[in-house]
């Protein structure tokens, strides 16, 4: 306090003291906002500004939110020796009067009667799952199954907290690895704009500290504080990491804890704490040789540590395979987008981003569980995946661990959420297995060894025959055959063609319901 003189011009001096009983205290928060990357002037870096928030507006903004702030632009006067140094130059700040979020979070969305009517209209449509997926980046040609995987990433599984404190994550991690020019970065950018809370970064431009947390000095109090990185800013959201393969190994290890435990443990500058990073990671990477080298093994091409690969629920390999029909269709699609400024017709009206966001928000309110009767089916499917990997040996296209079993459960729960169901069905499990199978299907299409490849009808027959021999039984129900075929990545139409062809060869006999009885 600065000494002052009494007004009677006497020589006595005194000090000013704060009268707490006669004062009114209000909540205060100082926020630092940064300019959006798309609004940065050419050749400049993003500008930042200090915002002072008081009263009921405090704690309405979280790190990573995109907000519109209305307030009064004021100078911050300096006092004492600093005022003599700065002269007429003063720091500025905004005293906030109103804060509006540009994108509301899933939990903050309020569903009106009209919104629920529109959502029910989408929910009752045929092939709702496929239409929702095709509405993600419709200007990008193809990638139907990749878009389905991204839709499940937006929806997520159910996070479970056990009685002993163990937390099983429900967020789905996806890695898109493929040749240059297959629209990986475009998909990441679209997911960033679609998700209510998301952070986009690149591997080369990110350090381990930038992804997790760094130590800064508070400008107000002068104390050491923690400043969250990209993964912490994307808490309860999605963190998109492009050029994932360009990251340094020491920086890449920083996200191991985040992907499984979903926390960031810090012990720096006398600060020991744990930050929440409950985020879904969507990464994009190129193979080790720039393009996928078919002559090398999948492990040599992927060139990521097994500890990191096992944390991804889906490692999607996208190869740029030449084909006259597909290349012409792709060129026609791109030319139409450039000519008309919009994608070609999909046969239906694509769902708007706001409607898709509202649909996912309502789907995330459900907490489906896996019924007991599906336990043996999921366990046998997991054991079969492990056995196929052992049989493939060095040609194995994945790395299967117990985390793969949890991935099947998470994908199945996300599919049940999209159906607005409280229980996982066998169809959800089959679709989850199909997506895991389809994530490596582009490798099988370009495999150098053609001796192990069969046409789909022959492959379906061998799968059914092997399953019947393993039981052992000579009868296979039609629904069992459908589940087996879908989990292998084939369609029901191909199954029917296989049943008719081998029935005409008297290999098996079909009844009216399509059930199979092998001829001895």
């Amino acid at each position: 306090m600065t000494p002052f003189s009494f007004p009677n011009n006497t020589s006595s001096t005194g000090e000013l003291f704060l009268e707490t009983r006669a004062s009114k205290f209000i909540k205060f928060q100082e926020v630092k906002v940064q300019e959006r990357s798309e609004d940065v002037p050419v050749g400049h870096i993003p500008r930042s500004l200090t915002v002072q928030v008081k009263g009921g507006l405090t704690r309405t903004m979280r790190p990573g939110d995109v907000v519109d702030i209305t307030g009064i632009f004021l100078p911050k006067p300096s006092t004492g020796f600093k005022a003599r140094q700065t002269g007429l130059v003063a720091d500025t700040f905004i005293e906030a009067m109103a804060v509006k979020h540009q994108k509301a979070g899933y939990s903050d969305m309020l569903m009106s009667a009209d919104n629920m009517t529109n959502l029910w209209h989408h929910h009752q449509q045929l092939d709702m799952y496929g239409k929702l997926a095709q509405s993600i980046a419709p200007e990008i040609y193809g990638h139907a199954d990749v878009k389905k995987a991204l839709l499940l990433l937006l929806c997520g599984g159910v996070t479970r907290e056990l009685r002993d404190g163990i937390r099983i994550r429900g967020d789905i991690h996806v890695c898109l690895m493929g040749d240059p020019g297959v629209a990986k970065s475009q998909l990441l950018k679209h997911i960033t704009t679609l998700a209510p809370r998301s952070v986009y970064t690149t591997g080369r431009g990110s350090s381990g500290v930038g992804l997790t947390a760094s130590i800064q000095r508070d400008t107000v109090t002068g104390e050491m504080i923690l400043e969250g990185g990209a993964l912490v800013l994307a808490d309860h959201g999605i963190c998109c990491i492009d050029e994932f393969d360009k990251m340094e190994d020491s920086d890449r290890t920083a996200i191991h804890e985040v992907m499984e435990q979903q926390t960031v443990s810090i012990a720096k500058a006398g600060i020991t704490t744990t930050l929440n990073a409950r985020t879904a990671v969507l990464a994009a990477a190129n193979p080790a040789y720039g393009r996928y080298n078919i002559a090398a093994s999948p492990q040599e091409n992927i060139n990521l540590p097994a500890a990191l690969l096992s944390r991804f629920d889906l490692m999607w390999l996208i190869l740029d395979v030449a084909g006259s029909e597909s290349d012409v269709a792709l060129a026609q699609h791109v030319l139409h987008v450039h000519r008309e400024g919009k994608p070609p017709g999909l046969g239906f009206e694509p769902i708007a981003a706001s409607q898709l966001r509202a649909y996912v928000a309502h789907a995330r309110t459900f907490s489906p569980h896996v019924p007991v009767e599906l336990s043996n089916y999921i366990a046998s499917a997991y054991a079969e995946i492990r056995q196929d990997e052992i049989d493939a040996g060095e040609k194995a296209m994945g790395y299967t661990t117990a985390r793969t079993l949890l991935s099947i459960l998470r994908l199945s729960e996300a599919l049940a959420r999209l159906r607005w169901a409280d229980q996982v069905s066998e169809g959800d499990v089959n679709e989850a297995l199909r997506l895991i199978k389809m994530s490596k299907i582009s490798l099988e299409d370009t495999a150098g060894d053609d001796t192990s490849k069969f046409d789909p009808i022959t492959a379906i027959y061998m799968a059914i025959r092997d399953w019947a021999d393993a039981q052992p039984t000579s009868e296979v129900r039609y629904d069992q055959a459908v589940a087996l075929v879908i989990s292998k990545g084939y369609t029901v139409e191909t199954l029917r063609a296989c049943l008719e062809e081998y029935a005409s060869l008297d290999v098996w006999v079909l009844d009216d319901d399509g059930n199979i009885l092998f001829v001895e």
Side-chain angles (χ1 to χ4, degrees):
M1 290 295 180
T2 305
F4 68 96
S5 300
F6 287 101
N8 56 4
N9 295 326
T10 60
S11 58
S12 346
T13 60
E15 292 185 357
L16 292 174
F17 293 95
L18 176 66
E19 187 66 40
T20 56
R21 297 183 63 182
S23 301
K24 179 182 179 182
F25 295 92
I26 60 173
K27 292 185 289 184
F28 173 83
Q29 183 183 16
E30 190 171 83
V31 180
K32 200 172 206 178
V33 294
Q34 181 175 296
E35 194 175 19
R36 295 191 306 172
S37 57
E38 55 264 28
D39 297 333
V40 177
V42 177
H44 291 69
I45 62 173
R47 296 166 290 186
S48 59
L49 192 63
T50 302
V51 179
Q52 290 186 3
V53 186
K54 299 177 182 177
L57 293 178
T58 55
R59 293 189 177 273
T60 57
M61 294 174 283
R62 295 181 299 172
D65 287 347
V66 181
V67 295
D68 294 328
I69 298 176
T70 305
I72 307 172
F73 189 65
L74 297 171
K76 184 184 293 185
S78 303
T79 57
F81 180 74
K82 189 176 180 182
R84 192 175 299 174
Q85 271 190 326
T86 57
L88 297 178
V89 180
D91 295 332
T92 56
F93 68 97
I94 288 181
E95 186 173 348
M97 298 295 165
V99 177
K100 180 182 178 183
H101 289 259
Q102 289 196 4
K103 290 191 294 186
Y106 290 129
S107 58
D108 300 331
M109 288 186 182
L110 300 176
M111 297 296 176
S112 63
D114 293 339
N115 285 340
M116 285 304 301
T117 302
N118 293 332
L119 294 184
W120 270 108
H121 172 69
H122 295 311
H123 179 67
Q124 293 174 349
Q125 290 181 357
L126 293 176
D127 193 22
M128 168 270 307
Y129 171 48
K131 290 180 179 179
L132 287 172
Q134 291 183 57
S135 299
I136 297 177
E139 67 276 1
I140 297 177
Y141 174 77
H143 298 323
D145 287 326
V146 177
K147 293 178 181 179
K148 289 180 179 178
L150 296 180
L151 177 63
L152 297 184
L153 178 137
L154 286 171
C155 198
V158 181
T159 300
R160 305 194 183 277
E161 295 187 5
L162 307 183
R163 294 180 179 177
D164 55 357
I166 295 178
R167 188 172 180 274
I168 302 176
R169 69 174 170 93
D171 295 303
I172 296 174
H173 303 317
V174 178
C175 180
L176 306 178
M177 177 170 284
D179 296 333
V182 293
K184 301 186 300 295
S185 299
Q186 285 293 98
L187 288 170
L188 260 67
K189 282 286 188 182
H190 190 84
I191 292 297
T192 304
T193 59
L194 191 60
R197 187 177 179 84
S198 59
V199 174
Y200 180 89
T201 183
T202 58
R204 179 59 69 182
S206 302
S207 63
V209 173
L211 287 174
T212 54
S214 60
I215 300 291
Q216 304 287 339
R217 186 175 295 277
D218 191 357
T219 57
V220 178
T221 62
E223 298 178 352
M224 303 300 290
I225 60 171
L226 281 175
E227 186 169 326
L231 292 167
V232 179
L233 294 181
D235 189 27
H236 284 303
I238 298 175
C239 182
C240 299
I241 307 176
D242 203 357
E243 306 295 344
F244 192 61
D245 56 306
K246 310 297 191 302
M247 291 180 66
E248 299 291 339
D249 291 338
S250 57
D251 298 332
R252 199 185 290 129
T253 54
I255 68 174
H256 282 214
E257 179 192 2
V258 174
M259 293 185 67
E260 199 59 41
Q261 310 302 327
Q262 297 199 302
T263 55
V264 174
S265 299
I266 298 295
K268 297 177 182 178
I271 299 176
T272 304
T273 185
T274 300
L275 304 177
N276 287 322
R278 294 155 294 189
T279 175
V281 176
L282 174 58
N286 293 115
Y289 307 101
R291 285 180 64 91
Y292 196 91
N293 185 8
I294 301 175
S297 66
Q299 289 78 9
E300 293 173 344
N301 277 285
I302 294 174
N303 196 27
L304 289 175
L308 189 61
L309 283 178
S310 64
R311 285 171 162 80
F312 283 107
D313 298 288
L314 284 174
M315 167 62 74
W316 209 287
L317 297 177
I318 310 173
L319 272 63
D320 186 11
V321 182
S324 58
E325 294 183 2
S326 60
D327 290 343
V328 169
L330 171 62
Q332 293 288 354
H333 184 96
V334 173
L335 290 171
H336 187 280
V337 171
H338 277 259
R339 183 175 63 251
E340 304 291 340
K342 60 181 181 180
L346 300 174
F348 66 96
E349 185 66 26
I351 302 172
S354 57
Q355 287 290 316
L356 181 59
R357 202 177 296 126
Y359 189 97
V360 173
H362 185 66
R364 289 171 68 97
T365 59
F366 292 86
S367 299
H369 65 279
V370 179
V372 179
E373 53 268 20
L374 283 180
S375 301
N376 292 334
Y377 180 68
I378 297 176
S380 61
Y382 167 69
E384 185 178 351
I385 294 175
R386 293 269 291 184
Q387 187 61 42
D388 291 344
E389 184 179 339
I390 294 174
D391 296 340
E394 294 182 355
K395 296 181 180 179
M397 299 176 187
Y399 185 72
T400 306
T401 64
R403 286 176 176 153
T404 308
L405 178 60
L406 295 176
S407 300
I408 296 172
L409 296 177
R410 276 188 285 267
L411 293 170
S412 303
E413 289 170 352
L415 286 161
R417 275 182 160 182
L418 285 176
R419 294 188 297 107
W420 296 357
D422 292 321
Q423 184 169 297
V424 175
S425 67
E426 187 173 337
D428 297 331
V429 178
N430 291 333
E431 175 63 16
L433 294 172
R434 190 190 71 84
L435 287 176
I436 293 175
K437 173 76 174 178
M438 295 301 292
S439 63
K440 308 294 189 303
I441 196 66
S442 57
L443 282 186
E444 298 182 1
D445 294 341
T446 57
D449 183 13
D450 290 337
T451 58
S452 61
K453 294 177 66 178
F454 301 99
D455 63 278
I457 292 179
T458 306
I460 289 175
Y461 165 73
M462 295 185 65
I464 295 175
R465 185 80 203 188
D466 293 342
W467 186 87
D469 291 341
Q471 293 305 312
T473 181
S474 60
E475 297 181 6
V476 181
R477 297 199 317 271
Y478 178 74
D479 57 342
Q480 292 174 335
V482 169
L484 180 64
V485 165
I486 292 178
S487 66
K488 296 289 186 181
Y490 300 105
T491 61
V492 179
E493 289 77 11
T494 312
L495 170 64
R496 291 175 184 152
C498 175
L499 295 179
E500 293 174 0
E501 179 173 335
Y502 280 89
S504 64
L505 297 174
D506 294 330
V507 175
W508 53 45
V509 178
L510 304 176
D511 62 9
D512 295 337
D513 297 328
N515 298 320
I516 303 170
L517 176 62
F518 282 92
V519 177
E520 298 297 335

